[in-house]
């Protein structure tokens, strides 16, 4: 399962979407929920804002074996 989202400097998550899946609906939802349930994340430190700006696009690949 590949999930992509925008992580904003205040730790909020937007545009959370599944890009690809090779498993059923329940495992796919679990991957998406693993991110959504943890939001908001900690706010970025000033050095992170300097490096990434106001937001960054994050892509995570979950592997099921």
């Amino acid at each position: 399962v590949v999930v992509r989202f925008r992580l904003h400097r205040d730790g909020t998550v937007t545009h959370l979407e599944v890009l690809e899946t090779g498993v059923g609906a329940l495992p796919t939802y679990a991957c998406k929920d693993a991110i959504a349930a943890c939001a908001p994340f900690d706010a970025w430190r000033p050095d992170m804002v300097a490096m990434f700006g106001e937001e960054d696009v994050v892509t995570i690949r979950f592997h099921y074996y």
Side-chain angles (χ1 to χ4, degrees):
V1 178
V2 179
V3 180
R4 179 176 289 161
F5 58 94
R6 290 188 182 277
L7 180 59
H8 300 268
R9 70 181 287 178
D10 65 355
T12 57
V13 170
T14 60
H15 301 91
L16 179 58
E17 62 181 332
V18 175
L19 298 181
E20 79 186 60
T21 184
V23 296
L26 188 58
T28 299
Y29 176 77
C31 294
K32 192 173 177 182
D33 189 55
I35 296 162
C38 293
F41 295 92
D42 290 340
W44 293 357
R45 299 180 316 267
D47 62 317
M48 294 171 71
V49 175
M51 182 179 290
F52 298 111
E54 295 295 311
E55 64 184 41
D56 196 23
V57 176
V58 179
T59 304
I60 299 176
R61 180 177 299 271
F62 295 86
H63 294 271
Y64 281 89
Y65 296 100

